[in-house]
Amino acid sequence: MNNSSHSPVIGSAPAALRLRQRKRNQLLLQGFGASAILLAFVMLLILVGSLLYSGYRAFTQTHVEISVHIDPEIIDAEKLPRGNFRRLLQNSLVAEFPDAGSAKDKKQLLQILSASAQFELRDLILSDLLVIGQTVQLRVPVSDPYDQLNKGQIDRETPEQHRRLNDRQIDWFDQLRRGGAVSAPLNTALFTNPDSRFPEIAGLKGALIGSFWALLVCFLLSFPVGIGAAIYLEEFAPRNRFSDFIEVNINNLAAVPSVVFGLLALAVFIGWFGLPRSTPLVGGMTLALMTMPTVIIATRAALKSIPGSIREAALAIGASKQQVVFGHVLPLAMPGILTGTIIGLAQALGETAPLLLIGMNAFITSAPAGPLDSSTALPTQIFIWADSPERGFVSRTSAAILVLLGFLIAMNSLAIFLRSRFERKW
Amino acid sequence: MTIAAFVLLLAMVASAYVLNFRAAAAIRAGGTKLHSVAFYHGSFAALTVALPVFCMLIFWLLLQRPVVNFITMNGLPAEILAGLGTGERQLLLAEIQSVASGRIFGEPGAEIISAGERMNSLNRTAGLLMLPAVLAISVILAAVSRRTVGAGFRARPATEKITLSVMLFCAFVAVFTTVGIIASLLVESIHFFSLVPLTEFLFGMNWEPQIPMREDQVAAEGAFGWIPVLVGTLLIMLVALAVAVPVGLLSAIYLHEFAAARIRAVAKPVLEILAGVPTVVYGFFAILVIAPALRSFGTALGLDIAPNTALAAGGVMGIMLIPFISSFADDALGAVPRQLRDGALALGATRAETMLQVLFPAALPGIAGGILLAVSRAIGETMIVVMAAGLIAKLTFNPLDSVTTVTVQIMTLLIGDTSFDNPKTLAAFALGLMLFLVTLCINVAALRIVRKYREVYE
């Protein structure tokens, strides 16, 4: 192309050479383009692959079955729910391993079990007082290091002093395993337990319910307000600077960094209005402000796609402008609006920074009962777990991310389904 | 009580609707012709009741807490309040609130306990007053609207006027939000700049916000010069763009010009998935995979790479921005008129030459707008840098080193701290104001470029 004034004669040797060069350049560009796409592809594969690889282990949890003699001398039915349940567990483990003599050994033995074991034992006794004096079979989670050991995450070849478990502890666990006491069932606790300091019993229940309430509040606020605003701007607003001003505002809001919405919520909702911190209500209100531009933009696009003939037909038989909009245009635009709203809600579900600023990263060990209880949300729970030093939380973070991605995929599939099933091409 | 109030409101709205609907229907049955059908008479009554009472309830719920707190604090004996700062007052209030809700820690004083009881009784009274208030106002409004029913009443235009103003209000919510953002950031920032001079903030070369919280604590003096934070933000942004711009543009060029339909059908959803992954996931990806990989790669080359190097955070941010840039570039290339492309091809240019020397320059303004928007995203992006970048503000341009960003500082300064009276928390709002202003300018410029350029070809 950029050649001098006299180009080589077509068909001559220099011309053929140049043509080859130009074709090679084209291949080069094509190759670069293809490798750019490939790079994005590979990155997505690594992202998903690494999450699956580190997360799949958290979907099972190593349990150990022990027989516990509920000694009436230790547990007094009168004093329940108080009692030395740890002692019961310790005794049953010592019975299993008579070689553990010293107090230190006994203490180490007890560390095989999760810290929650004593509470499970307590609940079992409380549910049926008749078991006092008898021997019961109890299946409890093992603590995090043993869970890692069972999943092959602790290398037995590492020198003892660099390992989190010494040879003796590994030996105990192997004996339990040989005895058939160890099992690794599906980790339902991941969904039914609230958060905990101990990875082996930490679950997502609080986060899931918190996210549910926040999204519900977000939907209830952003859906009607967004549709109202969109209908006004698309159908009724006069073309003047004032409407332009509102439009510019909405477009800018869509691009404001999410952390700024968090600052707004912190200063206005919590600081000025005194709404309670860490609650899904405030979280949902913040997310609603961020989702609203998405809903408005989607609604306007859906309203725009309804052909004018529908409006004209309704107007021609005497409908008022609002009757046209609410009776004809809006119902026809609804699939498009719902699709946009669901995509907006999916974005809101993954939003983390504003929720952290309003305190939804609190450590809360009970699931919220309503939108006014302190709670975490799914993405903030991921952030908390990613920050926790215990090894077991690494795979749990990945598992929580997989759960979050699962919800996002489900929501987006629903949106795609709605679009393909109900949206009409005019 | 709140739910009961809303249920009562709903019942009153329904009965106002039925009342007016029946009245209008009766007139019609009597043989008189109505201006509007009975439905609009009912709707008019329902809206007349619903809107004012609903607004009243919202305001009530928003204001109850601050008002009750105010009355409780003012009811305290003067000697307790004497000489207390804002933070101490807030602490006292928090103590009273937790006593009121039944969580008692330690041995609160008798005044605190009685204040807690007073708070509870005030809240109870407010809750009990709510129902009669809703009932009384609804009945009055229903009665007023009932009197409007008549053959000549233009119920439909009246109803439509109300719905139109409701929709106008909805459109205004966006304006309120912007005003709220600016107001909240400005108020707290002005507060901050009364403690720290503006020039020190804008031109200071040191950022050490760890100020002593108590008199006897040993800590740094506290320095609030945002230059190192700004440099860190720019460094990470540049790393991100260095990844995202070439990859994004090349993939857009490839998808637009060379890819077979089948590849497009696969590649587009893949890019959309990359765009839909929440940023907290990218942040975890950075600390789980990218940072360790970079570190071991660096050790193999004999380089010393910090564990939270700007490369990891910036690189992952770049991956996040690839779909953003590629979709903008794709749109911009698609907006170039077909004649330009056909003309170049007809002159014998190869497809690559057409792309690079005709289409790409023609689409450049749109692409530049997209890149500007990506810059604003990179500056405002929070979770990736909070998880993968450093906390200490170091004035360096070395991407292997650890730097911090504006958003990281906002998060670390505010997490777990709510008192709005020390420069440490207020600094976060000053940074937020800067972030908002910078991203606003970039966004406005970018949107203008994109729109103007699109109009040129349309």
mmCIF file of all heavy atoms in Angstrom, chain A residues 22 26 30 37 43 47 225 232 242 249 255 263-264 274 277 320 322-323 352 361 398, chain B residues 40 65 156 160 163 168 170 172 178 180 258 284-285 348 350-353 414 418 443:
data_model
loop_
_atom_site.group_PDB
_atom_site.id
_atom_site.type_symbol
_atom_site.label_atom_id
_atom_site.label_comp_id
_atom_site.label_asym_id
_atom_site.label_seq_id
_atom_site.Cartn_x
_atom_site.Cartn_y
_atom_site.Cartn_z
ATOM 1 N N ARG A 22 2.907 -9.146 1.800
ATOM 2 C CA ARG A 22 1.634 -8.600 2.289
ATOM 3 C C ARG A 22 0.738 -9.721 2.807
ATOM 4 O O ARG A 22 0.048 -9.574 3.808
ATOM 5 C CB ARG A 22 0.940 -7.833 1.162
ATOM 6 C CG ARG A 22 1.642 -6.526 0.835
ATOM 7 C CD ARG A 22 1.111 -5.925 -0.421
ATOM 8 N NE ARG A 22 -0.312 -5.619 -0.330
ATOM 9 C CZ ARG A 22 -1.089 -5.406 -1.390
ATOM 10 N NH1 ARG A 22 -0.574 -5.485 -2.597
ATOM 11 N NH2 ARG A 22 -2.350 -5.148 -1.232
ATOM 12 N N GLN A 26 -0.717 -10.354 6.623
ATOM 13 C CA GLN A 26 -2.110 -10.654 6.975
ATOM 14 C C GLN A 26 -2.185 -11.874 7.875
ATOM 15 O O GLN A 26 -2.886 -11.878 8.884
ATOM 16 C CB GLN A 26 -2.916 -10.894 5.699
ATOM 17 C CG GLN A 26 -4.220 -11.613 5.976
ATOM 18 C CD GLN A 26 -5.310 -11.192 5.018
ATOM 19 O OE1 GLN A 26 -5.200 -10.170 4.348
ATOM 20 N NE2 GLN A 26 -6.361 -11.961 4.969
ATOM 21 N N GLN A 30 -3.659 -12.162 11.649
ATOM 22 C CA GLN A 30 -4.650 -13.178 11.990
ATOM 23 C C GLN A 30 -4.167 -14.027 13.161
ATOM 24 O O GLN A 30 -4.913 -14.337 14.082
ATOM 25 C CB GLN A 30 -4.888 -14.070 10.783
ATOM 26 C CG GLN A 30 -6.270 -13.928 10.219
ATOM 27 C CD GLN A 30 -6.410 -14.712 8.935
ATOM 28 O OE1 GLN A 30 -5.533 -14.664 8.083
ATOM 29 N NE2 GLN A 30 -7.493 -15.425 8.799
ATOM 30 N N ILE A 37 -7.531 -14.156 21.354
ATOM 31 C CA ILE A 37 -8.751 -14.861 21.760
ATOM 32 C C ILE A 37 -8.388 -16.086 22.586
ATOM 33 O O ILE A 37 -8.972 -16.354 23.635
ATOM 34 C CB ILE A 37 -9.538 -15.308 20.508
ATOM 35 C CG1 ILE A 37 -10.142 -14.100 19.821
ATOM 36 C CG2 ILE A 37 -10.607 -16.305 20.866
ATOM 37 C CD1 ILE A 37 -11.371 -13.605 20.470
ATOM 38 N N MET A 43 -7.176 -18.118 29.918
ATOM 39 C CA MET A 43 -7.309 -17.500 31.232
ATOM 40 C C MET A 43 -8.608 -17.944 31.913
ATOM 41 O O MET A 43 -8.623 -18.251 33.094
ATOM 42 C CB MET A 43 -7.292 -15.970 31.082
ATOM 43 C CG MET A 43 -5.902 -15.416 30.989
ATOM 44 S SD MET A 43 -4.981 -15.862 32.479
ATOM 45 C CE MET A 43 -3.319 -15.684 31.935
ATOM 46 N N LEU A 47 -8.826 -19.982 35.306
ATOM 47 C CA LEU A 47 -9.642 -19.458 36.411
ATOM 48 C C LEU A 47 -10.602 -20.527 36.920
ATOM 49 O O LEU A 47 -10.593 -20.879 38.108
ATOM 50 C CB LEU A 47 -10.407 -18.228 35.917
ATOM 51 C CG LEU A 47 -11.439 -17.617 36.857
ATOM 52 C CD1 LEU A 47 -10.732 -16.976 38.033
ATOM 53 C CD2 LEU A 47 -12.274 -16.576 36.149
ATOM 54 N N VAL A 225 -39.060 1.352 40.630
ATOM 55 C CA VAL A 225 -38.534 2.704 40.401
ATOM 56 C C VAL A 225 -37.867 2.787 39.033
ATOM 57 O O VAL A 225 -38.054 3.752 38.287
ATOM 58 C CB VAL A 225 -37.547 3.092 41.526
ATOM 59 C CG1 VAL A 225 -36.908 4.430 41.230
ATOM 60 C CG2 VAL A 225 -38.265 3.144 42.860
ATOM 61 N N TYR A 232 -41.183 7.051 32.063
ATOM 62 C CA TYR A 232 -41.273 8.510 31.980
ATOM 63 C C TYR A 232 -40.335 9.041 30.902
ATOM 64 O O TYR A 232 -40.726 9.806 30.041
ATOM 65 C CB TYR A 232 -40.945 9.152 33.335
ATOM 66 C CG TYR A 232 -40.957 10.646 33.252
ATOM 67 C CD1 TYR A 232 -42.165 11.337 33.266
ATOM 68 C CD2 TYR A 232 -39.790 11.375 33.105
ATOM 69 C CE1 TYR A 232 -42.211 12.712 33.132
ATOM 70 C CE2 TYR A 232 -39.808 12.752 32.971
ATOM 71 C CZ TYR A 232 -41.026 13.412 32.989
ATOM 72 O OH TYR A 232 -41.072 14.766 32.848
ATOM 73 N N PHE A 242 -33.935 19.656 30.651
ATOM 74 C CA PHE A 242 -34.202 19.026 31.940
ATOM 75 C C PHE A 242 -34.188 17.503 31.803
ATOM 76 O O PHE A 242 -33.551 16.797 32.597
ATOM 77 C CB PHE A 242 -35.568 19.540 32.407
ATOM 78 C CG PHE A 242 -36.041 18.909 33.652
ATOM 79 C CD1 PHE A 242 -35.436 19.226 34.851
ATOM 80 C CD2 PHE A 242 -37.093 18.011 33.630
ATOM 81 C CE1 PHE A 242 -35.876 18.640 36.010
ATOM 82 C CE2 PHE A 242 -37.527 17.422 34.784
ATOM 83 C CZ PHE A 242 -36.922 17.742 35.977
ATOM 84 N N ASN A 249 -27.421 12.056 34.000
ATOM 85 C CA ASN A 249 -27.272 11.560 35.368
ATOM 86 C C ASN A 249 -27.298 10.047 35.426
ATOM 87 O O ASN A 249 -26.451 9.416 36.074
ATOM 88 C CB ASN A 249 -28.456 12.073 36.180
ATOM 89 C CG ASN A 249 -27.998 12.978 37.258
ATOM 90 O OD1 ASN A 249 -27.142 12.587 38.028
ATOM 91 N ND2 ASN A 249 -28.525 14.162 37.298
ATOM 92 N N ALA A 255 -21.684 4.315 35.540
ATOM 93 C CA ALA A 255 -20.240 4.154 35.463
ATOM 94 C C ALA A 255 -19.514 4.610 36.721
ATOM 95 O O ALA A 255 -18.296 4.610 36.755
ATOM 96 C CB ALA A 255 -19.700 4.920 34.258
ATOM 97 N N LEU A 263 -19.535 4.386 49.946
ATOM 98 C CA LEU A 263 -19.315 5.600 50.750
ATOM 99 C C LEU A 263 -20.627 6.341 50.953
ATOM 100 O O LEU A 263 -20.927 6.823 52.052
ATOM 101 C CB LEU A 263 -18.299 6.513 50.058
ATOM 102 C CG LEU A 263 -16.852 6.032 50.051
ATOM 103 C CD1 LEU A 263 -15.995 6.940 49.191
ATOM 104 C CD2 LEU A 263 -16.306 5.989 51.456
ATOM 105 N N LEU A 264 -21.434 6.424 49.865
ATOM 106 C CA LEU A 264 -22.741 7.077 49.964
ATOM 107 C C LEU A 264 -23.593 6.387 51.021
ATOM 108 O O LEU A 264 -24.171 7.041 51.896
ATOM 109 C CB LEU A 264 -23.444 7.029 48.609
ATOM 110 C CG LEU A 264 -24.941 7.333 48.605
ATOM 111 C CD1 LEU A 264 -25.175 8.820 48.687
ATOM 112 C CD2 LEU A 264 -25.618 6.777 47.382
ATOM 113 N N GLY A 274 -29.241 6.759 60.344
ATOM 114 C CA GLY A 274 -29.109 5.882 61.509
ATOM 115 C C GLY A 274 -29.649 4.484 61.289
ATOM 116 O O GLY A 274 -30.052 3.818 62.237
ATOM 117 N N ARG A 277 -26.134 -0.973 60.932
ATOM 118 C CA ARG A 277 -25.008 -1.455 60.126
ATOM 119 C C ARG A 277 -25.140 -2.930 59.829
ATOM 120 O O ARG A 277 -25.879 -3.637 60.502
ATOM 121 C CB ARG A 277 -23.717 -1.286 60.932
ATOM 122 C CG ARG A 277 -23.033 0.021 60.767
ATOM 123 C CD ARG A 277 -21.890 0.068 61.731
ATOM 124 N NE ARG A 277 -20.745 -0.701 61.251
ATOM 125 C CZ ARG A 277 -19.853 -0.222 60.414
ATOM 126 N NH1 ARG A 277 -19.978 0.987 59.969
ATOM 127 N NH2 ARG A 277 -18.844 -0.962 60.026
ATOM 128 N N SER A 320 -56.056 6.571 25.925
ATOM 129 C CA SER A 320 -55.197 7.685 26.314
ATOM 130 C C SER A 320 -53.748 7.217 26.252
ATOM 131 O O SER A 320 -53.462 6.028 26.159
ATOM 132 C CB SER A 320 -55.532 8.160 27.718
ATOM 133 O OG SER A 320 -55.024 7.256 28.662
ATOM 134 N N GLN A 322 -51.471 7.032 28.513
ATOM 135 C CA GLN A 322 -51.113 6.108 29.589
ATOM 136 C C GLN A 322 -51.768 4.752 29.406
ATOM 137 O O GLN A 322 -51.185 3.726 29.754
ATOM 138 C CB GLN A 322 -51.501 6.704 30.944
ATOM 139 C CG GLN A 322 -50.603 7.825 31.342
ATOM 140 C CD GLN A 322 -50.591 8.063 32.833
ATOM 141 O OE1 GLN A 322 -51.128 7.274 33.612
ATOM 142 N NE2 GLN A 322 -50.001 9.163 33.240
ATOM 143 N N GLN A 323 -53.006 4.761 28.864
ATOM 144 C CA GLN A 323 -53.657 3.471 28.607
ATOM 145 C C GLN A 323 -52.880 2.683 27.567
ATOM 146 O O GLN A 323 -52.736 1.467 27.681
ATOM 147 C CB GLN A 323 -55.099 3.696 28.143
ATOM 148 C CG GLN A 323 -56.015 4.079 29.294
ATOM 149 C CD GLN A 323 -57.388 4.530 28.825
ATOM 150 O OE1 GLN A 323 -57.558 5.003 27.705
ATOM 151 N NE2 GLN A 323 -58.370 4.392 29.694
ATOM 152 N N THR A 352 -19.263 -6.620 45.818
ATOM 153 C CA THR A 352 -18.663 -6.839 47.131
ATOM 154 C C THR A 352 -18.313 -5.550 47.861
ATOM 155 O O THR A 352 -18.645 -5.376 49.033
ATOM 156 C CB THR A 352 -17.369 -7.660 46.986
ATOM 157 O OG1 THR A 352 -17.565 -8.636 46.002
ATOM 158 C CG2 THR A 352 -17.002 -8.312 48.292
ATOM 159 N N ASN A 361 -19.177 -7.498 56.446
ATOM 160 C CA ASN A 361 -18.095 -8.454 56.583
ATOM 161 C C ASN A 361 -17.935 -8.867 58.041
ATOM 162 O O ASN A 361 -16.890 -9.342 58.443
ATOM 163 C CB ASN A 361 -16.788 -7.857 56.078
ATOM 164 C CG ASN A 361 -16.441 -6.598 56.830
ATOM 165 O OD1 ASN A 361 -17.330 -5.955 57.372
ATOM 166 N ND2 ASN A 361 -15.189 -6.254 56.881
ATOM 167 N N SER A 398 -12.845 -21.383 47.550
ATOM 168 C CA SER A 398 -13.093 -21.804 46.167
ATOM 169 C C SER A 398 -14.489 -22.398 46.038
ATOM 170 O O SER A 398 -15.203 -22.129 45.067
ATOM 171 C CB SER A 398 -12.065 -22.833 45.732
ATOM 172 O OG SER A 398 -10.788 -22.275 45.816
ATOM 173 N N TYR B 40 -61.457 4.235 37.138
ATOM 174 C CA TYR B 40 -60.602 5.390 37.416
ATOM 175 C C TYR B 40 -61.035 6.118 38.667
ATOM 176 O O TYR B 40 -60.195 6.673 39.374
ATOM 177 C CB TYR B 40 -60.574 6.333 36.201
ATOM 178 C CG TYR B 40 -59.631 5.823 35.149
ATOM 179 C CD1 TYR B 40 -60.101 5.240 33.993
ATOM 180 C CD2 TYR B 40 -58.262 5.883 35.360
ATOM 181 C CE1 TYR B 40 -59.241 4.760 33.040
ATOM 182 C CE2 TYR B 40 -57.387 5.389 34.416
ATOM 183 C CZ TYR B 40 -57.873 4.828 33.259
ATOM 184 O OH TYR B 40 -57.002 4.343 32.349
ATOM 185 N N ARG B 65 -35.683 6.391 64.582
ATOM 186 C CA ARG B 65 -34.459 6.079 65.296
ATOM 187 C C ARG B 65 -33.685 7.342 65.698
ATOM 188 O O ARG B 65 -33.378 7.516 66.885
ATOM 189 C CB ARG B 65 -33.605 5.185 64.420
ATOM 190 C CG ARG B 65 -32.727 4.260 65.129
ATOM 191 C CD ARG B 65 -31.980 3.527 64.037
ATOM 192 N NE ARG B 65 -32.182 2.111 64.102
ATOM 193 C CZ ARG B 65 -31.377 1.312 64.800
ATOM 194 N NH1 ARG B 65 -30.396 1.791 65.504
ATOM 195 N NH2 ARG B 65 -31.566 0.037 64.801
ATOM 196 N N ARG B 156 -60.180 10.080 35.141
ATOM 197 C CA ARG B 156 -59.053 9.507 34.398
ATOM 198 C C ARG B 156 -57.895 10.501 34.268
ATOM 199 O O ARG B 156 -56.762 10.166 34.649
ATOM 200 C CB ARG B 156 -59.497 9.024 33.011
ATOM 201 C CG ARG B 156 -58.387 8.326 32.253
ATOM 202 C CD ARG B 156 -58.776 7.969 30.835
ATOM 203 N NE ARG B 156 -59.247 9.098 30.048
ATOM 204 C CZ ARG B 156 -58.456 10.045 29.553
ATOM 205 N NH1 ARG B 156 -57.163 10.016 29.781
ATOM 206 N NH2 ARG B 156 -58.967 11.037 28.843
ATOM 207 N N GLU B 160 -54.257 9.931 35.912
ATOM 208 C CA GLU B 160 -53.060 9.895 35.068
ATOM 209 C C GLU B 160 -52.058 10.948 35.481
ATOM 210 O O GLU B 160 -50.841 10.737 35.400
ATOM 211 C CB GLU B 160 -53.464 10.059 33.601
ATOM 212 C CG GLU B 160 -54.233 8.844 33.102
ATOM 213 C CD GLU B 160 -54.476 8.867 31.608
ATOM 214 O OE1 GLU B 160 -54.333 9.944 31.005
ATOM 215 O OE2 GLU B 160 -54.818 7.808 31.061
ATOM 216 N N THR B 163 -50.163 9.364 38.379
ATOM 217 C CA THR B 163 -49.175 8.349 37.987
ATOM 218 C C THR B 163 -48.003 9.000 37.264
ATOM 219 O O THR B 163 -46.856 8.592 37.463
ATOM 220 C CB THR B 163 -49.797 7.275 37.073
ATOM 221 O OG1 THR B 163 -50.617 7.921 36.123
ATOM 222 C CG2 THR B 163 -50.613 6.286 37.848
ATOM 223 N N LEU B 168 -42.318 10.606 37.286
ATOM 224 C CA LEU B 168 -41.328 11.687 37.278
ATOM 225 C C LEU B 168 -40.438 11.577 38.513
ATOM 226 O O LEU B 168 -39.212 11.741 38.445
ATOM 227 C CB LEU B 168 -42.032 13.036 37.241
ATOM 228 C CG LEU B 168 -41.132 14.267 37.197
ATOM 229 C CD1 LEU B 168 -40.271 14.234 35.955
ATOM 230 C CD2 LEU B 168 -41.943 15.544 37.229
ATOM 231 N N CYS B 170 -39.735 8.859 40.105
ATOM 232 C CA CYS B 170 -38.818 7.730 39.895
ATOM 233 C C CYS B 170 -37.608 8.170 39.091
ATOM 234 O O CYS B 170 -36.463 7.811 39.406
ATOM 235 C CB CYS B 170 -39.523 6.593 39.155
ATOM 236 S SG CYS B 170 -40.779 5.787 40.117
ATOM 237 N N PHE B 172 -36.416 11.009 38.999
ATOM 238 C CA PHE B 172 -35.620 11.900 39.832
ATOM 239 C C PHE B 172 -34.734 11.164 40.824
ATOM 240 O O PHE B 172 -33.796 11.751 41.361
ATOM 241 C CB PHE B 172 -36.540 12.870 40.587
ATOM 242 C CG PHE B 172 -36.464 14.261 40.058
ATOM 243 C CD1 PHE B 172 -37.477 14.793 39.291
ATOM 244 C CD2 PHE B 172 -35.347 15.034 40.316
ATOM 245 C CE1 PHE B 172 -37.389 16.065 38.799
ATOM 246 C CE2 PHE B 172 -35.248 16.302 39.835
ATOM 247 C CZ PHE B 172 -36.268 16.824 39.070
ATOM 248 N N THR B 178 -27.216 11.019 42.656
ATOM 249 C CA THR B 178 -26.018 11.801 42.347
ATOM 250 C C THR B 178 -25.822 12.901 43.384
ATOM 251 O O THR B 178 -24.711 13.101 43.892
ATOM 252 C CB THR B 178 -26.146 12.430 40.950
ATOM 253 O OG1 THR B 178 -26.581 11.421 40.055
ATOM 254 C CG2 THR B 178 -24.842 12.991 40.486
ATOM 255 N N GLY B 180 -26.915 12.906 46.378
ATOM 256 C CA GLY B 180 -26.521 12.267 47.640
ATOM 257 C C GLY B 180 -25.044 11.933 47.654
ATOM 258 O O GLY B 180 -24.351 12.166 48.653
ATOM 259 N N PHE B 258 -11.788 -11.625 10.796
ATOM 260 C CA PHE B 258 -11.233 -12.881 10.303
ATOM 261 C C PHE B 258 -11.981 -14.129 10.774
ATOM 262 O O PHE B 258 -11.975 -15.126 10.073
ATOM 263 C CB PHE B 258 -9.767 -13.004 10.724
ATOM 264 C CG PHE B 258 -8.915 -11.884 10.212
ATOM 265 C CD1 PHE B 258 -8.393 -10.935 11.065
ATOM 266 C CD2 PHE B 258 -8.663 -11.765 8.850
ATOM 267 C CE1 PHE B 258 -7.626 -9.898 10.589
ATOM 268 C CE2 PHE B 258 -7.889 -10.731 8.368
ATOM 269 C CZ PHE B 258 -7.370 -9.786 9.236
ATOM 270 N N PHE B 284 -9.522 -13.283 44.302
ATOM 271 C CA PHE B 284 -9.078 -14.563 44.868
ATOM 272 C C PHE B 284 -8.189 -15.296 43.869
ATOM 273 O O PHE B 284 -7.183 -15.897 44.247
ATOM 274 C CB PHE B 284 -10.294 -15.406 45.241
ATOM 275 C CG PHE B 284 -9.943 -16.682 45.957
ATOM 276 C CD1 PHE B 284 -9.332 -16.646 47.191
ATOM 277 C CD2 PHE B 284 -10.211 -17.908 45.387
ATOM 278 C CE1 PHE B 284 -8.998 -17.803 47.848
ATOM 279 C CE2 PHE B 284 -9.874 -19.078 46.036
ATOM 280 C CZ PHE B 284 -9.273 -19.029 47.271
ATOM 281 N N PHE B 285 -8.546 -15.210 42.589
ATOM 282 C CA PHE B 285 -7.742 -15.824 41.528
ATOM 283 C C PHE B 285 -6.327 -15.240 41.547
ATOM 284 O O PHE B 285 -5.333 -15.963 41.428
ATOM 285 C CB PHE B 285 -8.424 -15.553 40.185
ATOM 286 C CG PHE B 285 -7.708 -16.096 38.990
ATOM 287 C CD1 PHE B 285 -7.432 -17.441 38.882
ATOM 288 C CD2 PHE B 285 -7.324 -15.252 37.959
ATOM 289 C CE1 PHE B 285 -6.778 -17.942 37.770
ATOM 290 C CE2 PHE B 285 -6.677 -15.756 36.847
ATOM 291 C CZ PHE B 285 -6.401 -17.098 36.765
ATOM 292 N N GLY B 348 -7.599 -3.326 -3.866
ATOM 293 C CA GLY B 348 -6.602 -4.373 -3.841
ATOM 294 C C GLY B 348 -5.888 -4.534 -2.522
ATOM 295 O O GLY B 348 -4.927 -5.282 -2.425
ATOM 296 N N THR B 350 -5.177 -5.985 1.103
ATOM 297 C CA THR B 350 -5.535 -7.233 1.765
ATOM 298 C C THR B 350 -6.484 -6.890 2.910
ATOM 299 O O THR B 350 -6.651 -5.729 3.285
ATOM 300 C CB THR B 350 -4.311 -7.941 2.345
ATOM 301 O OG1 THR B 350 -3.748 -7.092 3.339
ATOM 302 C CG2 THR B 350 -3.284 -8.230 1.258
ATOM 303 N N ARG B 351 -7.092 -7.931 3.474
ATOM 304 C CA ARG B 351 -8.024 -7.665 4.577
ATOM 305 C C ARG B 351 -7.306 -7.064 5.776
ATOM 306 O O ARG B 351 -7.849 -6.223 6.481
ATOM 307 C CB ARG B 351 -8.741 -8.957 4.955
ATOM 308 C CG ARG B 351 -9.750 -9.360 3.875
ATOM 309 C CD ARG B 351 -10.820 -10.213 4.417
ATOM 310 N NE ARG B 351 -10.314 -11.508 4.859
ATOM 311 C CZ ARG B 351 -11.036 -12.393 5.493
ATOM 312 N NH1 ARG B 351 -12.290 -12.123 5.790
ATOM 313 N NH2 ARG B 351 -10.523 -13.536 5.863
ATOM 314 N N ALA B 352 -6.060 -7.515 6.001
ATOM 315 C CA ALA B 352 -5.304 -6.960 7.120
ATOM 316 C C ALA B 352 -5.019 -5.491 6.882
ATOM 317 O O ALA B 352 -5.144 -4.655 7.785
ATOM 318 C CB ALA B 352 -4.003 -7.726 7.301
ATOM 319 N N GLU B 353 -4.655 -5.146 5.625
ATOM 320 C CA GLU B 353 -4.362 -3.735 5.328
ATOM 321 C C GLU B 353 -5.620 -2.896 5.463
ATOM 322 O O GLU B 353 -5.582 -1.788 6.014
ATOM 323 C CB GLU B 353 -3.785 -3.633 3.911
ATOM 324 C CG GLU B 353 -2.343 -4.095 3.839
ATOM 325 C CD GLU B 353 -1.909 -4.481 2.428
ATOM 326 O OE1 GLU B 353 -2.772 -4.486 1.519
ATOM 327 O OE2 GLU B 353 -0.739 -4.787 2.237
ATOM 328 N N LEU B 414 -11.814 2.433 56.238
ATOM 329 C CA LEU B 414 -13.205 2.460 56.711
ATOM 330 C C LEU B 414 -13.687 1.150 57.304
ATOM 331 O O LEU B 414 -14.641 1.134 58.067
ATOM 332 C CB LEU B 414 -14.144 2.858 55.572
ATOM 333 C CG LEU B 414 -14.176 4.353 55.306
ATOM 334 C CD1 LEU B 414 -15.122 4.657 54.177
ATOM 335 C CD2 LEU B 414 -14.586 5.105 56.548
ATOM 336 N N THR B 418 -16.275 3.493 62.436
ATOM 337 C CA THR B 418 -17.399 4.313 61.995
ATOM 338 C C THR B 418 -17.409 5.709 62.556
ATOM 339 O O THR B 418 -18.257 6.482 62.179
ATOM 340 C CB THR B 418 -18.735 3.699 62.395
ATOM 341 O OG1 THR B 418 -18.595 3.173 63.677
ATOM 342 C CG2 THR B 418 -19.210 2.709 61.383
ATOM 343 N N ASN B 443 -15.471 9.584 32.466
ATOM 344 C CA ASN B 443 -16.685 9.012 31.898
ATOM 345 C C ASN B 443 -17.378 9.994 30.972
ATOM 346 O O ASN B 443 -17.818 9.630 29.883
ATOM 347 C CB ASN B 443 -17.661 8.615 33.007
ATOM 348 C CG ASN B 443 -17.162 7.435 33.787
ATOM 349 O OD1 ASN B 443 -16.329 6.685 33.301
ATOM 350 N ND2 ASN B 443 -17.650 7.282 34.996
#
